[in-house]
Amino acid sequence: MTTEELHVDPAERNWIVASIMLLVVFGVAVAIAGFMLGIQVPTEEQRVDPRTVAQEAPWSNPGVRELVPGEEYEVYILASRFSFVPNTFEVPVGARVTFYVTSTDVQHGFKLQDTNVNFMALPGQVSKLTTTFEEPGTYSYICTEYCGLGHAVMAGSVTVTEPGGNA
Amino acid sequence: MTVHGAAHHPPYAELHRFGLRLFIASEAFLFGVLFAARFYLLGFERAEAVNVTLGVVLTIILLTATWSSHRAAAAARAGDRGAMQGQLLLTMALGVLFLALVVVEWSAGFREFPISTPYGSIFYLITGTHSLHLLIGLFVLASLFLQARRGRLGEGDVWKVEGGVAYWQFVDVVWLFVFTILYVL
Amino acid sequence: MAVATTTAPTASTSGLWSWITTVDHKRIGIMYAVSAFVFFLVGGTEALLIRLQLATPNGTLLSADAYNQLFTMHGLTMVFAVIMPIAAAYQNYFVPLQIGARDVAFPRLNAFAFWLFLFSALFLYSSFVVGGAPDGAWVGYAPLSTQLKEFIRMDYYAIGAQLLGVASLAGSVNFIATIFTMRAPGMTLLRMPVFTWMTVVTSFLLLLSLPVIGVGLWQILFDRNFGTLFYAAQAQGDPLLWQHLFWIFGHPEVYVLILPAMGIVSEILPVFSRKPLFGYAFVVFSGIAIGFLGFGVWAHHMFTAGLGPVAEAGFGLATMLIAIPTGVKIFNWIGTTWGGKLRLTTAMLFSLGFIAMFVIGGLSGVTHSIVPADTQQHDSYYIVAHFHYVLFGGAVFGYMAGIYYWFPKWTGRFLDEKLGKVQFWITFVGFNLTFAPMHILGLDGMPRRTYRYPEGLGFEFWNLLATIGSFLIALGVLLLLINLVKSYRKGAPAPADPWDGRTLEWTTSSPPPVHNFDEIPVVHHVDDFWYRKYGVDEEGRAVRVPEVTGGTVEVEVGGEDHGEAGHDIHMPSPSYFPIIAAAGVVVIGAGLTFSSTPLVGFTLLGLGVIVTLWGLMGWAGEPITKEAH
């Protein structure tokens, strides 16, 4: 027998075409979601010097800033081996909360359990993410990037209060 | 047709040329990553104190060495053992001169842009890696030279000389990029 | 002409020295396999310790320090000292046989690569007695890896991984050169077995990705010991640079781990379905596509690092895209078995298990490609579940299938099939019991790389289940070990072609003579051996060609090397320079590892350079084949 020619089974060809079309659909969906609906992924906000960040505003005074009562809040959090500062704070339910998190030493993570908030806190860069808590209650946040001996116990908690100030 | 000898593979020359090309491709990626890191970390910044004149001298030395290595390979192909040895010796001497000047440059450099600076970090890593490859090249050429002196390089061994020279010339070409990226840009 | 023999000794091929100086690809393959299996037991023990610690909340079996070393070494061991060498074992042994060659292109380089691997892995393990093993996770993220300064653990990491990378690089140059230049007459690229194809693809992946991590690891060493600032965020350095460099290597690396196993499965399924591989060309092109695309998806490991929506969308899409060629392969494997006459040997069971488990792992992988979903999955046990499904349920199952399939060729004996099937089911159940719960744990929020978890979060039950499963896996591995030892000595004798195979390795004796083939075959088809054995009748069914008897085949001769076996065939001579050079390189590595203690470091460095030069100069000076007329 002689060399085989490339024989494309029709089932194979149809499958490949269908997959590529699916991908085009996904691509369009991603573009719409990202640029028209503004679906968030964590982004790098700015660069800082990890050796001095804790001595300079705003991280010299980490914690919650109330911009518009009940509606707009900012939370500045410092991660280091092996704690978050602050390791507990309060925000009201339904408000837009923007996190600014950075590290003073090595890579850390910041994950709010039972929410979709999870991003790295790297020295030298500020990670920024805006979210809204839909349900009141207490949520813990943990470090998700392995950072050494105390990684497993690095955690904090946020209390999300009812409107009117009750948890 | 019966064929004696090691069975069913192409002549060693082709085989080793192919293998060397693969290796050089891998090394090209290595230097490519180093160059990319330079731009990623520093953009187009450069330390003021970099001795561009010395860089030019180094470049001239290596361009000359490329030429002499080329002559060595040509001599090997022509079967002229004496000329080949001479050109290899010249190439090695130029290589040693290059490394000596690198040492001089580094001693000055450690004062002007120490290793614990952004530019210093990348400068010493890139030039160091290049110099290490050059040093290995010197060993390769020395090995060829010694083998030739002992009469162990025959007609069928020209590929060894060509391979060693090809590696040397690769290192020379890398220097051109190093010079451009660290001294010029 | 091929005659089945037991282990065939030729001149000076017995004894330790013959193994130390061997350049025979088959022996090197066996050494890789044995080493990989031993490290598999070690890495598995590390896993069992981890599972014991995590079986209960607030476990006290291991301190955080011990745990961190164990999980780091488990990852490094399984990737670099188990999966890569077992793939190398198969590639070494079978690629020359499958392409009708007598050895690889550079036999001494081959030996060098093996010894370098073995010495480097042993060197890495020596860290346990020199202040402790690396404890920065196998990914060694900076700046933790550059800042951890207790002892020299992370220096061991930087150099150990570097050395292992060099060993793999040497191997890949060899395989590419072999496959492109030493195929039998008539074997065009598109007639090569799929396993050989996957070998060439993985070799290119390694050739181009290892330099990237090489640079990254050098930078770690230099940041640690020489004051450079590559990953130092305070001075224009960037921790993210390490992540990029690591994953530009790391992602192609996972395809390096899986593609050879896919190649093995692509060989086994046709043999035990008595049907040719469905869509051979597409399986091959998909492998190539996965190789190319594999270089374009690395940042899907960094979706929470803040790369920005454009980059993340791009990488997310590319990751989805890579599921297409993978899916093509899966459908083609199913198409191969569909309507075939299945023989459910152990090799076939592992291959079918591979497909099923890899699909599960692949599906969870596709969920990672959705960037917002991944931000919830990243660094949770859901990821751990994913990669164990593709690496254990996928790669390990594929390599285990290879053991049962090719053991007769290596040894001339069958593995015990009954025991094998028991081993398969125990391993299959144990594997799923261990890793399926981890999907749930991850989605429930259990983070990875933590040495203990608190009570009351709902993690207890699934962790306990996983631990029980891991011990079932251990039982399965033990049964495999028993089967290997028992069958090596007393297994039923196997002929040259025990499975009615399709590819050229089955045309030689079991085990093959040192020169592989008495006469190099001429190849006319993919699955050429099958077509020598079988024609087709009027209804298109396979019919055994009459003049073939008892598993031996008249092989058309390639016009070279007539004559009695061995007489006119010059095989490359043994050499002790590769092992010397390999030892020298590792000593250089040791010197660099101790660079924070200059006296020790320089001494070792100097010693290593001398030994390496001795090895390399000797190697360059000796003839490839010592004439022995």
Side-chain angles (χ1 to χ4, degrees):
Chain A
M1 291 201 216
T2 55
T3 51
E4 303 84 55
E5 283 149 15
L6 189 63
H7 166 66
V8 184
D9 189 285
E12 183 127 55
R13 185 198 55 221
N14 295 341
W15 156 251
I16 291 179
V17 167
S19 306
I20 294 183
M21 289 199 330
L22 260 181
L23 219 79
V24 170
V25 169
F26 292 153
V28 170
V30 167
I32 292 176
F35 298 110
M36 287 171 52
L37 300 178
I39 294 193
Q40 299 271 351
V41 283
T43 54
E44 176 192 336
E45 175 68 2
Q46 59 176 129
R47 298 202 66 91
V48 293
D49 183 338
R51 292 170 302 185
T52 57
V53 66
Q55 284 88 49
E56 296 164 353
W59 279 280
S60 47
N61 183 17
V64 184
R65 312 267 191 276
E66 186 180 67
L67 299 182
V68 176
E71 286 178 28
E72 287 274 341
Y73 291 77
E74 287 179 349
V75 186
Y76 290 85
I77 300 182
L78 268 176
S80 53
R81 301 173 84 200
F82 298 103
S83 63
F84 292 103
V85 179
N87 76 343
T88 179
F89 61 91
E90 270 185 27
V91 287
V93 73
R96 276 167 52 91
V97 180
T98 302
F99 290 98
Y100 294 92
V101 185
T102 186
S103 162
T104 58
D105 47 23
V106 302
Q107 69 276 11
H108 294 283
F110 180 83
K111 182 177 186 195
L112 277 168
Q113 298 285 50
D114 297 324
T115 72
N116 63 358
V117 174
N118 180 16
F119 52 84
M120 286 190 205
L122 296 172
Q125 90 180 27
V126 177
S127 299
K128 171 189 169 194
L129 185 94
T130 304
T131 188
T132 304
F133 289 95
E134 310 279 354
E135 299 269 340
T138 307
Y139 299 81
S140 59
Y141 47 92
I142 59 172
C143 175
T144 44
E145 281 306 327
Y146 175 69
C147 53
L149 284 173
H151 172 62
V153 301
M154 189 168 157
S157 73
V158 52
T159 308
V160 177
T161 58
E162 295 275 355
N166 303 313
Chain B
M1 169 182 80
T2 45
V3 172
H4 289 258
H8 187 64
H9 63 70
Y12 289 123
E14 270 177 49
L15 207 54
H16 283 81
R17 240 196 300 267
F18 190 90
L20 187 64
R21 285 203 196 117
L22 290 173
F23 175 68
I24 287 180
S26 190
E27 294 278 274
F29 254 67
L30 187 125
F31 282 103
V33 174
L34 284 172
F35 300 151
R38 181 258 192 273
F39 291 113
Y40 182 97
L41 290 173
L42 289 168
F44 287 96
E45 276 179 46
R46 171 163 65 97
E48 299 267 317
V50 162
N51 191 338
V52 184
T53 317
L54 185 56
V56 172
V57 170
L58 291 170
T59 308
I60 292 174
I61 291 176
L62 282 193
L63 285 174
T64 315
T66 306
W67 174 83
S68 63
S69 65
H70 170 76
R71 306 283 312 124
R77 277 190 287 271
D80 186 346
R81 200 154 62 117
M84 179 189 80
Q85 288 184 45
Q87 294 289 3
L88 280 179
L89 214 49
L90 174 59
T91 312
M92 288 191 282
L94 288 167
V96 171
L97 178 59
F98 178 93
L99 289 178
L101 288 175
V102 167
V103 172
V104 166
E105 177 184 41
W106 279 23
S107 344
F110 284 142
R111 284 190 304 274
E112 306 284 340
F113 42 95
I115 200 167
S116 291
T117 57
Y119 182 78
S121 297
I122 199 78
F123 179 86
Y124 297 110
L125 184 65
I126 291 184
T127 54
T129 307
H130 174 264
S131 296
L132 184 64
H133 280 77
L134 197 113
L135 183 64
I136 291 172
L138 281 176
F139 277 110
V140 170
L141 294 180
S143 164
L144 290 170
F145 178 79
L146 288 171
Q147 284 185 56
R149 273 204 16 158
R150 290 189 204 145
R152 298 234 233 126
L153 289 184
E155 252 181 56
D157 298 313
V158 171
W159 61 269
K160 294 186 185 180
V161 179
E162 290 180 324
V165 165
Y167 173 77
W168 177 265
Q169 292 176 340
F170 165 71
V171 176
D172 288 348
V173 168
V174 169
W175 171 259
L176 294 177
F177 283 89
V178 171
F179 176 65
T180 313
I181 286 173
L182 286 178
Y183 292 74
V184 173
L185 286 179
Chain C
M1 291 191 73
V3 173
T5 59
T6 50
T7 316
T10 55
S12 73
T13 55
S14 46
L16 185 61
W17 186 248
S18 71
W19 285 90
I20 287 177
T21 58
T22 187
V23 296
D24 175 1
H25 70 99
K26 297 183 289 298
R27 285 197 155 194
I28 292 173
I30 289 174
M31 290 196 288
Y32 265 115
V34 171
S35 311
F37 197 83
V38 170
F39 279 112
F40 184 50
L41 298 175
V42 174
T45 307
E46 288 160 348
L48 289 178
L49 287 168
I50 291 171
R51 284 313 324 160
L52 280 172
Q53 163 69 9
L54 294 176
T56 56
N58 293 315
T60 52
L61 177 71
L62 300 170
S63 65
D65 188 31
Y67 183 90
N68 293 346
Q69 292 176 58
L70 283 174
F71 85 74
T72 302
M73 288 301 278
H74 169 77
L76 288 169
T77 302
M78 288 306 190
V79 171
F80 291 111
V82 177
I83 305 269
M84 289 186 74
I86 195 74
Y90 287 118
Q91 291 165 342
N92 260 292
Y93 203 104
F94 289 105
V95 166
L97 287 170
Q98 287 194 335
I99 62 173
R102 291 224 159 83
D103 206 308
V104 292
F106 307 117
R108 288 173 299 179
L109 185 67
N110 205 15
F112 169 79
F114 167 71
W115 292 114
L116 183 60
F117 144 70
L118 182 64
F119 294 156
S120 305
L122 290 172
F123 173 68
L124 184 62
Y125 265 89
S126 72
S127 61
F128 272 114
V129 298
V130 187
D135 55 355
W138 93 283
V139 296
Y141 274 14
L144 182 68
S145 51
T146 52
Q147 288 184 17
L148 280 171
K149 282 295 171 66
E150 310 99 74
F151 309 106
I152 48 172
R153 296 172 179 180
M154 293 309 286
D155 298 282
Y156 264 101
Y157 169 80
I159 296 300
Q162 184 81 257
L163 291 171
L164 288 164
V166 174
S168 291
L169 194 64
S172 46
V173 168
N174 221 338
F175 288 127
I176 296 174
T178 306
I179 291 170
F180 276 105
T181 63
M182 294 177 67
R183 282 166 284 134
M187 184 173 277
T188 60
L189 284 176
L190 282 176
R191 287 181 188 163
M192 295 196 308
V194 178
F195 178 71
T196 300
W197 259 113
M198 296 301 102
T199 299
V200 78
V201 173
T202 58
S203 297
F204 271 111
L205 287 175
L206 285 169
L207 192 77
L208 300 176
S209 66
L210 283 168
V212 181
I213 196 176
V215 168
L217 288 168
W218 279 126
Q219 293 178 336
I220 290 212
L221 186 76
F222 273 68
D223 268 19
R224 287 178 65 78
N225 297 322
F226 298 111
T228 54
L229 300 169
F230 296 107
Y231 306 123
Q234 66 271 21
Q236 271 180 295
D238 193 355
L240 269 184
L241 177 61
W242 166 255
Q243 292 188 36
H244 282 298
L245 292 178
F246 182 84
W247 288 116
I248 291 175
F249 155 77
H251 196 83
E253 167 68 4
V254 310
Y255 294 119
V256 167
L257 300 175
I258 195 73
L259 284 175
M262 288 183 164
I264 293 175
V265 167
S266 305
E267 310 267 329
I268 291 179
L269 291 174
V271 169
F272 295 109
S273 314
R274 293 185 78 76
K275 275 179 72 198
L277 182 66
F278 185 94
Y280 163 89
F282 271 96
V283 174
V284 167
F285 288 135
S286 296
I288 298 173
I290 289 172
F292 266 113
L293 291 172
F295 270 105
V297 301
W298 80 86
H300 67 220
H301 300 270
M302 298 162 63
F303 279 153
T304 61
L307 299 173
V310 175
E312 292 177 4
F315 280 105
L317 272 174
T319 308
M320 291 181 200
L321 186 64
I322 212 167
I324 292 185
T326 316
V328 166
K329 284 182 166 249
I330 290 174
F331 278 103
N332 284 12
W333 290 326
I334 295 175
T336 305
T337 55
W338 194 278
K341 248 182 87 176
L342 301 190
R343 284 180 288 162
L344 291 179
T345 58
T346 313
M348 186 62 160
L349 286 174
F350 270 109
S351 302
L352 294 172
F354 168 96
I355 297 176
M357 300 298 99
F358 186 78
V359 166
I360 295 175
L363 287 175
S364 58
V366 169
T367 63
H368 305 330
S369 73
I370 302 163
V371 178
D374 182 64
T375 58
Q376 297 180 57
Q377 302 159 2
H378 180 72
D379 276 329
S380 74
Y381 261 79
Y382 187 83
I383 304 279
V384 178
H386 159 72
F387 65 71
H388 282 95
Y389 262 87
V390 289
L391 285 178
F392 195 122
V396 171
F397 272 31
Y399 295 121
M400 283 188 178
I403 293 179
Y404 284 91
Y405 180 59
W406 274 321
F407 187 86
K409 181 54 58 180
W410 289 324
T411 60
R413 299 184 182 283
F414 284 101
L415 279 171
D416 184 328
E417 275 290 309
K418 276 211 284 275
L419 182 55
K421 288 177 188 170
V422 170
Q423 190 249 322
F424 167 74
W425 285 110
I426 290 181
T427 308
F428 182 83
V429 170
F431 161 76
N432 279 289
L433 199 58
T434 310
F435 295 108
M438 292 189 186
H439 295 96
I440 300 170
L441 281 171
L443 293 176
D444 275 350
M446 182 173 174
R448 49 187 298 209
R449 301 181 175 138
T450 49
Y451 81 106
R452 66 176 201 214
Y453 54 91
E455 293 179 338
L457 293 175
F459 298 159
E460 293 90 326
F461 175 69
W462 300 117
N463 268 298
L464 187 59
L465 218 56
T467 302
I468 295 171
S470 66
F471 277 87
L472 265 181
I473 294 178
L475 177 60
V477 173
L478 183 62
L479 290 177
L480 177 60
L481 180 59
I482 291 173
N483 203 346
L484 285 166
V485 172
K486 186 179 89 124
S487 305
Y488 181 75
R489 298 209 193 116
K490 296 194 273 209
D497 181 18
W499 309 119
D500 202 15
R502 308 176 77 92
T503 42
L504 287 178
E505 72 267 29
W506 305 110
T507 65
T508 70
S509 59
S510 298
V514 72
H515 53 279
N516 292 351
F517 302 96
D518 288 341
E519 283 152 15
I520 302 295
V522 173
V523 169
H524 299 291
H525 313 273
V526 73
D527 286 348
D528 194 68
F529 183 41
W530 180 264
Y531 290 100
R532 296 181 202 280
K533 294 188 289 183
Y534 292 93
V536 284
D537 65 11
E538 310 79 46
E539 274 131 57
R541 288 173 304 190
V543 166
R544 193 92 196 197
V545 169
E547 62 261 31
V548 172
T549 51
T552 63
V553 173
E554 255 324 296
V555 172
E556 183 183 334
V557 172
E560 300 174 27
D561 285 321
H562 293 279
E564 298 78 63
H567 278 204
D568 282 320
I569 301 172
H570 293 235
M571 295 302 292
S573 313
S575 168
Y576 51 77
F577 289 116
I579 191 174
I580 291 173
V585 171
V586 173
V587 175
I588 291 177
L592 291 167
T593 306
F594 285 91
S595 48
S596 51
T597 325
L599 185 61
V600 177
F602 270 112
T603 312
L604 286 170
L605 193 64
L607 185 62
V609 168
I610 293 171
V611 174
T612 307
L613 277 177
W614 173 31
L616 290 179
M617 296 296 218
W619 180 343
E622 77 180 350
I624 294 171
T625 300
K626 297 188 181 68
E627 300 294 315
H629 291 302

